[in-house]
Structure formats: C-alpha cells, structure tokens
Amino acid sequence: MAESKTPAPKLKNEAEIDTTLVRQLADILNDTSLTEIEVERGELRIRVARELVAAPVMQYAAAPAPAAHAPPPAAAAPASMPSDPATIVAKQGEEVKSPMVGTVYLQASPEAPPFIAVGDKVKKGQTLLIVEAMKTMNPIQAPRDGVVVEVLVGDAQPVEFGEALVLLEA
C-alpha cells in the first residue's frame, strides 16, 4: 500500500482517533507476522489486531463422533515421488484428477477398507476415493473401466484442483 505524503492530522483532544495512525498500524500487521499491535498516547490507546481462523476439524460423514480428547488417527504416509525421471515418464495410463480443492480420503471411514488398491480392476462410475470440500464428501469416480496402476495421494492429504489422484490403465 502506498504511504500517504500528508502528515497525520493534529488531534484537538486525545479522544479523537488518528485514522492515519490506525492505517499505519494495519500496514505493519500486513507486512509482518504480528497478530496484534497497540499504541498509547496519553489516555488514547489504539489496538489493531487480526483474527486468526483455525482450520476446521475434519471428520468422515459416516464416522461416529470421536470421544472427547481422543487422539486423531495417524494418517498414512503420502505416496512418494520416484527420484528417477525415467520412472515418471515410463508410467502409462490415464490420470484421474481432483475436480476441486479439498482433502482426499481413501476409505469411507477410518475403520473401513480402502476403496481401491494398486492392481484392482475398476468399473466406470466406481468410487475410487473421496475429496472433502467445505464439509461435503464428494466421491471421485472412475471415468472408465481399467486397472489401478498407482494411487498418487495419501489418506487425509490436502489436494489442489487438477492434481492427479489415481493412475488407471486399460
């Protein structure tokens, strides 16, 4: 934000609010990792704070509510990328991509078996996994019949729009 070239207006009494000072304090918050800043001049005290929004706790729609203070289940390690570029190019198949930003789940509930595994034959329309977005569970279906070559994401992993989730071959 461009700084104003005009000096801050003089206060007639200390109860008046100096809007230029408030804007400068807000700029400091935006430029730093501070969440709050406070300035006092006599009896005038100005506090500028930004509210931090905590990420929502995600639960499966079909899962019962966890007991209070129960530790969350450990997430499976995300699939690792091969370090050899030739391995990446050698894989043939169709990528099933995420239609939205969200969190991917490989099974319907923490106790349930995964929807798919490498080597499974799938039918067009079969649920491969779930992407949770805005507290809505969205099943991601196979676009065609095929065989699962690779699951490219881990359980409870955040995914971006267009990110490859599963590799299918005919």
Side-chain angles (χ1 to χ4, degrees), residues 7-11 15-25 41 44 46:
K10 299 285 186 202
L11 299 177
E16 287 184 40
I17 295 177
D18 183 351
T19 57
T20 304
L21 177 60
V22 173
R23 288 183 191 274
Q24 290 171 344
L25 294 174
R41 286 186 186 165
L44 176 66
I46 299 175

PDB file of all heavy atoms in Angstrom, residues 7-11 15-25 41 44 46:
ATOM      1  N   PRO A   7       1.136  14.716   6.414  1.00  0.00           N
ATOM      2  CA  PRO A   7       1.380  14.350   7.807  1.00  0.00           C
ATOM      3  C   PRO A   7       0.066  14.027   8.510  1.00  0.00           C
ATOM      4  O   PRO A   7      -1.001  14.459   8.091  1.00  0.00           O
ATOM      5  CB  PRO A   7       2.039  15.612   8.393  1.00  0.00           C
ATOM      6  CG  PRO A   7       1.600  16.727   7.508  1.00  0.00           C
ATOM      7  CD  PRO A   7       1.397  16.126   6.144  1.00  0.00           C
ATOM      8  N   ALA A   8       0.180  13.276   9.598  1.00  0.00           N
ATOM      9  CA  ALA A   8      -1.006  12.918  10.368  1.00  0.00           C
ATOM     10  C   ALA A   8      -1.625  14.180  10.944  1.00  0.00           C
ATOM     11  O   ALA A   8      -0.917  15.080  11.382  1.00  0.00           O
ATOM     12  CB  ALA A   8      -0.621  11.965  11.497  1.00  0.00           C
ATOM     13  N   PRO A   9      -2.954  14.281  10.912  1.00  0.00           N
ATOM     14  CA  PRO A   9      -3.600  15.481  11.441  1.00  0.00           C
ATOM     15  C   PRO A   9      -3.373  15.596  12.945  1.00  0.00           C
ATOM     16  O   PRO A   9      -3.300  14.596  13.646  1.00  0.00           O
ATOM     17  CB  PRO A   9      -5.080  15.270  11.115  1.00  0.00           C
ATOM     18  CG  PRO A   9      -5.236  13.808  10.922  1.00  0.00           C
ATOM     19  CD  PRO A   9      -3.919  13.306  10.430  1.00  0.00           C
ATOM     20  N   LYS A  10      -3.249  16.838  13.434  1.00  0.00           N
ATOM     21  CA  LYS A  10      -3.079  17.091  14.865  1.00  0.00           C
ATOM     22  C   LYS A  10      -4.415  16.829  15.550  1.00  0.00           C
ATOM     23  O   LYS A  10      -5.471  17.182  15.037  1.00  0.00           O
ATOM     24  CB  LYS A  10      -2.651  18.539  15.113  1.00  0.00           C
ATOM     25  CG  LYS A  10      -1.331  18.906  14.477  1.00  0.00           C
ATOM     26  CD  LYS A  10      -0.195  18.301  15.248  1.00  0.00           C
ATOM     27  CE  LYS A  10       1.121  18.807  14.677  1.00  0.00           C
ATOM     28  NZ  LYS A  10       2.213  17.977  14.955  1.00  0.00           N
ATOM     29  N   LEU A  11      -4.361  16.215  16.700  1.00  0.00           N
ATOM     30  CA  LEU A  11      -5.568  15.907  17.438  1.00  0.00           C
ATOM     31  C   LEU A  11      -5.956  17.095  18.305  1.00  0.00           C
ATOM     32  O   LEU A  11      -5.133  17.661  19.012  1.00  0.00           O
ATOM     33  CB  LEU A  11      -5.354  14.674  18.327  1.00  0.00           C
ATOM     34  CG  LEU A  11      -4.992  13.385  17.598  1.00  0.00           C
ATOM     35  CD1 LEU A  11      -4.743  12.279  18.589  1.00  0.00           C
ATOM     36  CD2 LEU A  11      -6.069  12.993  16.637  1.00  0.00           C
ATOM     37  N   ALA A  15      -9.121  12.204  22.691  1.00  0.00           N
ATOM     38  CA  ALA A  15     -10.191  11.239  22.440  1.00  0.00           C
ATOM     39  C   ALA A  15     -10.443  11.050  20.947  1.00  0.00           C
ATOM     40  O   ALA A  15     -11.114  10.117  20.557  1.00  0.00           O
ATOM     41  CB  ALA A  15     -11.466  11.678  23.138  1.00  0.00           C
ATOM     42  N   GLU A  16      -9.936  11.951  20.101  1.00  0.00           N
ATOM     43  CA  GLU A  16     -10.113  11.806  18.660  1.00  0.00           C
ATOM     44  C   GLU A  16      -9.250  10.655  18.146  1.00  0.00           C
ATOM     45  O   GLU A  16      -8.153  10.432  18.641  1.00  0.00           O
ATOM     46  CB  GLU A  16      -9.711  13.097  17.935  1.00  0.00           C
ATOM     47  CG  GLU A  16     -10.697  14.222  18.121  1.00  0.00           C
ATOM     48  CD  GLU A  16     -10.304  15.434  17.305  1.00  0.00           C
ATOM     49  OE1 GLU A  16      -9.847  15.258  16.156  1.00  0.00           O
ATOM     50  OE2 GLU A  16     -10.439  16.542  17.832  1.00  0.00           O
ATOM     51  N   ILE A  17      -9.730   9.970  17.112  1.00  0.00           N
ATOM     52  CA  ILE A  17      -8.991   8.838  16.554  1.00  0.00           C
ATOM     53  C   ILE A  17      -8.178   9.314  15.368  1.00  0.00           C
ATOM     54  O   ILE A  17      -8.693   9.975  14.469  1.00  0.00           O
ATOM     55  CB  ILE A  17      -9.966   7.724  16.128  1.00  0.00           C
ATOM     56  CG1 ILE A  17     -10.663   7.177  17.357  1.00  0.00           C
ATOM     57  CG2 ILE A  17      -9.234   6.620  15.393  1.00  0.00           C
ATOM     58  CD1 ILE A  17     -11.701   6.134  17.054  1.00  0.00           C
ATOM     59  N   ASP A  18      -6.913   8.955  15.370  1.00  0.00           N
ATOM     60  CA  ASP A  18      -5.989   9.291  14.290  1.00  0.00           C
ATOM     61  C   ASP A  18      -6.066   8.156  13.256  1.00  0.00           C
ATOM     62  O   ASP A  18      -5.421   7.125  13.400  1.00  0.00           O
ATOM     63  CB  ASP A  18      -4.577   9.449  14.849  1.00  0.00           C
ATOM     64  CG  ASP A  18      -3.565   9.876  13.803  1.00  0.00           C
ATOM     65  OD1 ASP A  18      -3.913   9.893  12.606  1.00  0.00           O
ATOM     66  OD2 ASP A  18      -2.430  10.183  14.188  1.00  0.00           O
ATOM     67  N   THR A  19      -6.873   8.349  12.202  1.00  0.00           N
ATOM     68  CA  THR A  19      -7.080   7.279  11.212  1.00  0.00           C
ATOM     69  C   THR A  19      -5.801   6.947  10.458  1.00  0.00           C
ATOM     70  O   THR A  19      -5.601   5.804  10.051  1.00  0.00           O
ATOM     71  CB  THR A  19      -8.202   7.655  10.224  1.00  0.00           C
ATOM     72  OG1 THR A  19      -7.862   8.888   9.588  1.00  0.00           O
ATOM     73  CG2 THR A  19      -9.529   7.786  10.934  1.00  0.00           C
ATOM     74  N   THR A  20      -4.943   7.922  10.258  1.00  0.00           N
ATOM     75  CA  THR A  20      -3.677   7.655   9.571  1.00  0.00           C
ATOM     76  C   THR A  20      -2.830   6.693  10.399  1.00  0.00           C
ATOM     77  O   THR A  20      -2.229   5.757   9.862  1.00  0.00           O
ATOM     78  CB  THR A  20      -2.907   8.971   9.323  1.00  0.00           C
ATOM     79  OG1 THR A  20      -3.739   9.856   8.589  1.00  0.00           O
ATOM     80  CG2 THR A  20      -1.627   8.712   8.543  1.00  0.00           C
ATOM     81  N   LEU A  21      -2.803   6.902  11.710  1.00  0.00           N
ATOM     82  CA  LEU A  21      -2.053   6.018  12.596  1.00  0.00           C
ATOM     83  C   LEU A  21      -2.646   4.612  12.560  1.00  0.00           C
ATOM     84  O   LEU A  21      -1.912   3.622  12.494  1.00  0.00           O
ATOM     85  CB  LEU A  21      -2.048   6.564  14.028  1.00  0.00           C
ATOM     86  CG  LEU A  21      -1.356   5.680  15.071  1.00  0.00           C
ATOM     87  CD1 LEU A  21       0.108   5.453  14.714  1.00  0.00           C
ATOM     88  CD2 LEU A  21      -1.491   6.288  16.449  1.00  0.00           C
ATOM     89  N   VAL A  22      -3.964   4.506  12.558  1.00  0.00           N
ATOM     90  CA  VAL A  22      -4.612   3.199  12.502  1.00  0.00           C
ATOM     91  C   VAL A  22      -4.229   2.485  11.214  1.00  0.00           C
ATOM     92  O   VAL A  22      -3.898   1.296  11.206  1.00  0.00           O
ATOM     93  CB  VAL A  22      -6.148   3.330  12.625  1.00  0.00           C
ATOM     94  CG1 VAL A  22      -6.832   1.986  12.392  1.00  0.00           C
ATOM     95  CG2 VAL A  22      -6.527   3.888  13.992  1.00  0.00           C
ATOM     96  N   ARG A  23      -4.242   3.202  10.089  1.00  0.00           N
ATOM     97  CA  ARG A  23      -3.850   2.608   8.803  1.00  0.00           C
ATOM     98  C   ARG A  23      -2.382   2.171   8.822  1.00  0.00           C
ATOM     99  O   ARG A  23      -2.036   1.113   8.298  1.00  0.00           O
ATOM    100  CB  ARG A  23      -4.081   3.588   7.655  1.00  0.00           C
ATOM    101  CG  ARG A  23      -5.533   3.785   7.326  1.00  0.00           C
ATOM    102  CD  ARG A  23      -5.684   4.720   6.123  1.00  0.00           C
ATOM    103  NE  ARG A  23      -7.050   5.134   5.953  1.00  0.00           N
ATOM    104  CZ  ARG A  23      -7.958   4.439   5.284  1.00  0.00           C
ATOM    105  NH1 ARG A  23      -7.631   3.296   4.734  1.00  0.00           N
ATOM    106  NH2 ARG A  23      -9.188   4.879   5.180  1.00  0.00           N
ATOM    107  N   GLN A  24      -1.512   2.980   9.419  1.00  0.00           N
ATOM    108  CA  GLN A  24      -0.094   2.617   9.503  1.00  0.00           C
ATOM    109  C   GLN A  24       0.085   1.364  10.351  1.00  0.00           C
ATOM    110  O   GLN A  24       0.877   0.481  10.006  1.00  0.00           O
ATOM    111  CB  GLN A  24       0.723   3.778  10.074  1.00  0.00           C
ATOM    112  CG  GLN A  24       0.849   4.951   9.129  1.00  0.00           C
ATOM    113  CD  GLN A  24       1.482   6.173   9.780  1.00  0.00           C
ATOM    114  OE1 GLN A  24       1.570   6.274  10.995  1.00  0.00           O
ATOM    115  NE2 GLN A  24       1.907   7.111   8.944  1.00  0.00           N
ATOM    116  N   LEU A  25      -0.649   1.264  11.436  1.00  0.00           N
ATOM    117  CA  LEU A  25      -0.577   0.073  12.285  1.00  0.00           C
ATOM    118  C   LEU A  25      -1.083  -1.157  11.530  1.00  0.00           C
ATOM    119  O   LEU A  25      -0.494  -2.234  11.619  1.00  0.00           O
ATOM    120  CB  LEU A  25      -1.367   0.288  13.572  1.00  0.00           C
ATOM    121  CG  LEU A  25      -0.836   1.358  14.528  1.00  0.00           C
ATOM    122  CD1 LEU A  25      -1.800   1.570  15.683  1.00  0.00           C
ATOM    123  CD2 LEU A  25       0.549   1.015  15.027  1.00  0.00           C
ATOM    124  N   ARG A  41      -1.014   6.972  23.551  1.00  0.00           N
ATOM    125  CA  ARG A  41      -0.609   8.378  23.600  1.00  0.00           C
ATOM    126  C   ARG A  41      -1.459   9.032  24.677  1.00  0.00           C
ATOM    127  O   ARG A  41      -2.639   9.312  24.448  1.00  0.00           O
ATOM    128  CB  ARG A  41      -0.850   9.078  22.269  1.00  0.00           C
ATOM    129  CG  ARG A  41       0.111   8.728  21.189  1.00  0.00           C
ATOM    130  CD  ARG A  41      -0.150   9.606  19.989  1.00  0.00           C
ATOM    131  NE  ARG A  41       0.682   9.185  18.875  1.00  0.00           N
ATOM    132  CZ  ARG A  41       0.487   9.555  17.639  1.00  0.00           C
ATOM    133  NH1 ARG A  41      -0.530  10.341  17.327  1.00  0.00           N
ATOM    134  NH2 ARG A  41       1.290   9.158  16.681  1.00  0.00           N
ATOM    135  N   LEU A  44      -5.220   8.048  25.210  1.00  0.00           N
ATOM    136  CA  LEU A  44      -5.692   7.425  23.969  1.00  0.00           C
ATOM    137  C   LEU A  44      -4.908   6.140  23.741  1.00  0.00           C
ATOM    138  O   LEU A  44      -3.675   6.128  23.758  1.00  0.00           O
ATOM    139  CB  LEU A  44      -5.481   8.369  22.774  1.00  0.00           C
ATOM    140  CG  LEU A  44      -5.852   7.800  21.409  1.00  0.00           C
ATOM    141  CD1 LEU A  44      -7.358   7.550  21.331  1.00  0.00           C
ATOM    142  CD2 LEU A  44      -5.416   8.741  20.310  1.00  0.00           C
ATOM    143  N   ILE A  46      -4.776   2.803  21.065  1.00  0.00           N
ATOM    144  CA  ILE A  46      -5.267   2.205  19.815  1.00  0.00           C
ATOM    145  C   ILE A  46      -4.687   0.801  19.715  1.00  0.00           C
ATOM    146  O   ILE A  46      -3.475   0.612  19.801  1.00  0.00           O
ATOM    147  CB  ILE A  46      -4.853   3.039  18.584  1.00  0.00           C
ATOM    148  CG1 ILE A  46      -5.453   4.438  18.674  1.00  0.00           C
ATOM    149  CG2 ILE A  46      -5.281   2.332  17.296  1.00  0.00           C
ATOM    150  CD1 ILE A  46      -4.999   5.358  17.572  1.00  0.00           C
TER     151      ILE A  46
END
